Amino acid sequence: MSERPSPLGPDEVTADSPFTLPGFFDALSEGRLLAAACADCGERLVPPRPACYACGSRSLSIEEQPRTGHVVSYTAVHTPPPAFADEAPYTVAVVELDSGARLTGRLDADYEDVAVDDPVALTVREPDEALRERSLSYETEWPLHVFEPR
């Protein structure tokens, strides 16, 4: 599903554009996981960006992505930023979605229970008050994306 052809000019990438983090999180809060798809090299960028980091092209379109994939890499965070100190240790994973795009996020599993190639599914959670208090002012309404084992 392509929503917007490119190349994009500077006037076309506004704060609510899906090629920006606010636009990405707005779509995510509506239940849509978006990627920018490069017309020149086929790379998928999640979150979307206005230029391809693989080839530099600005010929991009927006595509909805599947919420399922598998773990490519993972780690346990033992020394998080101070705002998240009470949540450590927690697991973070790089997930390759079934489309081939990759997204990093929290994995709702203990580090010891995770392995490369484990199947996972993305869930979207509304931020709770504690998370809103730790967020930057422009992030307070952004949903939290978390991968869960399937």
Side-chain angles (χ1 to χ4, degrees):
M1 164 179 134
S2 179
E3 290 185 3
R4 182 172 180 77
S6 281
L8 296 170
D11 295 339
E12 295 176 276
V13 182
T14 61
D16 59 348
S17 163
F19 290 97
T20 65
L21 283 177
F24 170 75
F25 283 109
D26 284 347
L28 196 59
S29 68
E30 296 168 358
R32 298 173 36 211
L33 177 60
L34 302 180
C38 181
D40 292 332
C41 74
E43 187 74 25
R44 286 182 176 77
L45 313 148
V46 182
R49 295 158 184 85
C52 180
Y53 53 65
C55 73
S57 173
R58 294 182 62 81
S59 294
L60 302 163
S61 60
I62 294 294
E63 291 182 352
E64 195 156 338
Q65 298 298 294
R67 291 176 169 226
T68 54
H70 64 276
V71 174
V72 174
S73 180
Y74 62 100
T75 191
V77 177
H78 291 277
T79 309
F84 297 95
D86 60 334
E87 297 179 30
Y90 55 87
T91 307
V92 174
V94 176
V95 171
E96 185 169 299
L97 302 172
D98 290 340
S99 66
R102 290 187 176 187
L103 178 62
T104 302
R106 280 220 183 160
L107 180 57
D108 195 10
D110 291 334
Y111 176 83
E112 299 79 23
D113 298 331
V114 180
V116 169
D117 289 330
D118 279 355
V120 294
L122 182 76
T123 61
V124 179
R125 302 175 185 169
E126 288 301 313
D128 60 19
E129 194 55 39
L131 181 59
R132 284 186 175 104
E133 288 174 10
R134 296 183 293 209
S135 298
L136 299 174
S137 62
Y138 58 87
E139 298 175 335
T140 58
E141 298 306 315
W142 289 3
L144 182 64
H145 65 280
V146 177
F147 292 102
E148 295 184 2
R150 5 177 217 139

